[in-house]
Amino acid sequence: MKASTLANVEGGTAGAKTGRNYEGLTREDLLSAYRLMLLSRKIDDKEIQLKNQSQAFFQISGAGHEAVLVAAGLHLRAGYDWFFPYYRDRALCLTLGMTPLEMLLASVGAQDDPANAGRQMPSHWGHRRLNIPSQSSCTGTQCLHAVGCADARQIYERVEQIPDRESAHQPDEVTYVSVGDGATSEGEFWEALSTACVRKLPVLFLVEDNGYAISVPVEVQTPGGDIARVVEGFVGLTIFRCDGTDYLSSYRTMAEAVTHARAGDGPVLVHASVVRPYSHSLSDDERLYKTPAERESEARRDPLVRMRQFLTREELASDEELASIAKAVEQEVNEAADAALKAAKPDPATAAHFVFSPDIDPGAAEFAREPAAEGNPDTMVAAINRTLKDEMGRNPRIVVFGEDVADATREEALDTVTGKGGVFKVTHGLQRLYGSDRVFNSPLAEANIVGRAVGMALRGLKPVVEIQFFDYIWPAFM
């Protein structure tokens, strides 16, 4: 594990060289971005210290990824767009408005941790106000949750019967999801790309490629070692590349990518080349598989080193000014760590909280009813079908999807065919009654069905999904 001491770089006095354009950014903008990058790194360093003192439970850093993540955060809108970040996205979350204290509360497992009240590992980001849902295991599953979240925006736009639907979505919102190069080997990544393209969803996929999945190099994970080249054949996917250790390159690329997605022109994928100057986590030692020459090469591309060199070379800041920023950042992080260590831990008696509703017991006597039979005896399939028809009429937030559940995806066929409605006819007639925006077919992919349903439910919809046969359920368990 390498220290994050920044290289000493010769520099002149502050005051930008005349005639230079920095993507429209002012000196203050650039110094603010540098401060966020440095703040992210210093929180990583503080977590490492706390873990070595047995006061934090785990540590996995965002070191080397800071430039592209700050750039992404500055082009996206907290509390407006939606975010499914993976564990290295500390700098993104700071840029969106998460505080060092909130992050360090997660590090020590405090009850006031805003992500999950001390119930998950650190760096499983979550923040209700910022539209960052509490993350699952962040190595691929978040991709389908993100697509379901973007699905929800599309449904809110189209289903006029949903009350207050205007307040449930934004007309040009973007859903952001990030993965490392290793997670692009997961099936959920490919299923998410496919559905985002088919449905032309405003999803921004950021692949933060640091060349390694723990110790496995990218050429073992990805054909040719270049994920952007591999996905070029996805119809409807716009691809951007950038040097994710170069702040200006990252800022320019993220501006183009977000603008494209926000305009409703379909999904985008940004392939950012970054570095990992620290080991994968504190449970790893990169010296066991990286040569000294490779580690030295990565250190030269460290985004903090490069940003510091840029600021001094362009006479945007002096060494003294950068030292002053570093001192202020270290003080902020130390104060946040002191407060986090004093924070209360969750009461063990609350371990089962947030699993079921704290207010409603579905087995309570108030829900008990005597059977009130009516009509002729019927099959279970017919009873479920009738129940779905009634409930969908009562609650326009209910959507039904899965394999073969629609009557006919090609709506023009409904004039001449009776309709499929599921292999067991459980959903027969629902599309005719409630339309293709509420009843639709999914790809032949069970993780896609359940993962997207999770994303829709996060947005307040009531997805009812069908897994065609029980034997098919296993891929959906992640």
Side-chain angles (χ1 to χ4, degrees), residues 183-206:
T184 64
S185 294
E186 296 282 1
E188 290 92 339
F189 170 76
W190 297 97
E191 292 178 22
L193 275 183
S194 181
T195 296
C197 290
V198 167
R199 295 177 67 84
K200 298 179 174 61
L201 298 173
V203 181
L204 191 161
F205 295 87
L206 175 60

Side-chain angles (χ1 to χ4, degrees), residues 276-350:
R276 199 190 72 191
Y278 291 3
S279 295
H280 171 76
S281 71
L282 274 191
S283 301
D284 175 49
D285 184 350
E286 66 175 19
R287 294 171 297 181
L288 299 175
Y289 50 87
K290 285 185 181 179
T291 66
E294 183 177 7
R295 297 176 71 231
E296 289 170 9
S297 176
E298 287 187 339
R300 288 192 294 271
R301 289 189 63 215
D302 186 318
L304 281 172
V305 172
R306 295 189 69 185
M307 189 66 163
R308 182 182 175 109
Q309 290 171 338
F310 163 75
L311 291 170
T312 54
R313 182 180 67 246
E314 295 297 306
E315 299 179 4
L316 293 161
S318 65
D319 287 337
E320 291 75 18
E321 288 172 311
L322 295 179
S324 177
I325 291 172
K327 182 178 180 181
V329 164
E330 289 189 356
Q331 180 178 344
E332 181 179 0
V333 171
N334 288 335
E335 290 175 355
D338 290 342
L341 289 170
K342 294 174 183 175
K345 298 295 192 289
D347 184 342
T350 67

Side-chain angles (χ1 to χ4, degrees), residues 95-150:
T95 306
L96 294 175
M98 195 176 292
T99 68
L101 175 58
E102 289 172 328
M103 291 185 171
L104 290 165
L105 287 170
S107 306
V108 301
Q111 68 179 13
D112 291 333
D113 161 24
N116 46 68
R119 284 164 166 75
Q120 278 186 298
M121 293 167 66
S123 301
H124 283 51
W125 313 112
H127 201 291
R128 183 182 294 270
R129 179 177 58 83
L130 303 177
N131 283 357
I132 309 174
S134 182
Q135 300 303 295
S136 64
S137 179
C138 313
T139 50
T141 55
Q142 72 272 24
C143 294
L144 287 170
H145 300 162
V147 169
C149 177

Side-chain angles (χ1 to χ4, degrees), residues 250-416:
S250 298
Y251 188 87
R252 178 173 58 254
T253 302
M254 293 307 304
E256 294 172 359
V258 172
T259 298
H260 182 96
R262 208 176 288 291
D265 294 329
V268 298
L269 182 142
V270 177
H271 183 193
S273 173
V274 295
V275 292
R276 199 190 72 191
Y278 291 3
S279 295
H280 171 76
S281 71
L282 274 191
S283 301
D284 175 49
D285 184 350
E286 66 175 19
R287 294 171 297 181
L288 299 175
Y289 50 87
K290 285 185 181 179
T291 66
E294 183 177 7
R295 297 176 71 231
E296 289 170 9
S297 176
E298 287 187 339
R300 288 192 294 271
R301 289 189 63 215
D302 186 318
L304 281 172
V305 172
R306 295 189 69 185
M307 189 66 163
R308 182 182 175 109
Q309 290 171 338
F310 163 75
L311 291 170
T312 54
R313 182 180 67 246
E314 295 297 306
E315 299 179 4
L316 293 161
S318 65
D319 287 337
E320 291 75 18
E321 288 172 311
L322 295 179
S324 177
I325 291 172
K327 182 178 180 181
V329 164
E330 289 189 356
Q331 180 178 344
E332 181 179 0
V333 171
N334 288 335
E335 290 175 355
D338 290 342
L341 289 170
K342 294 174 183 175
K345 298 295 192 289
D347 184 342
T350 67
H353 286 192
F354 313 116
V355 178
F356 300 106
S357 169
D359 306 312
I360 299 174
D361 176 7
E366 63 187 285
F367 293 105
R369 296 289 187 275
E370 289 298 321
E374 60 180 72
N376 298 320
D378 218 333
T379 65
M380 179 66 75
V381 167
I384 295 172
N385 181 268
R386 178 179 172 183
T387 300
L388 286 171
K389 287 178 179 176
D390 290 349
E391 285 301 300
M392 290 187 76
R394 185 185 67 83
N395 186 351
R397 293 178 182 270
I398 296 176
V399 296
V400 174
F401 68 102
E403 298 159 14
D404 299 296
V405 302
D407 292 316
T409 294
R410 295 171 178 169
E411 293 182 354
E412 64 273 15
L414 292 173
D415 293 334
T416 55

Side-chain angles (χ1 to χ4, degrees), residues 19-81:
R20 297 293 178 89
N21 184 295
Y22 308 115
E23 304 299 330
L25 297 169
T26 66
R27 174 180 181 272
E28 289 70 26
D29 293 333
L30 292 164
L31 289 176
S32 176
Y34 172 73
R35 190 185 193 283
L36 284 165
M37 293 165 60
L38 184 61
L39 181 61
S40 178
R41 185 69 62 89
K42 291 300 183 182
I43 297 174
D44 277 335
D45 291 344
K46 178 56 68 173
E47 275 193 344
I48 291 169
Q49 181 186 54
L50 293 173
K51 176 66 174 66
N52 288 333
Q53 296 169 346
S54 298
Q55 297 188 89
F57 296 99
F58 185 70
Q59 208 286 325
I60 192 162
S61 83
H65 295 225
E66 295 96 344
V68 71
L69 291 171
V70 170
L74 289 171
H75 286 294
L76 293 161
R77 305 178 195 171
Y80 185 100
D81 297 319

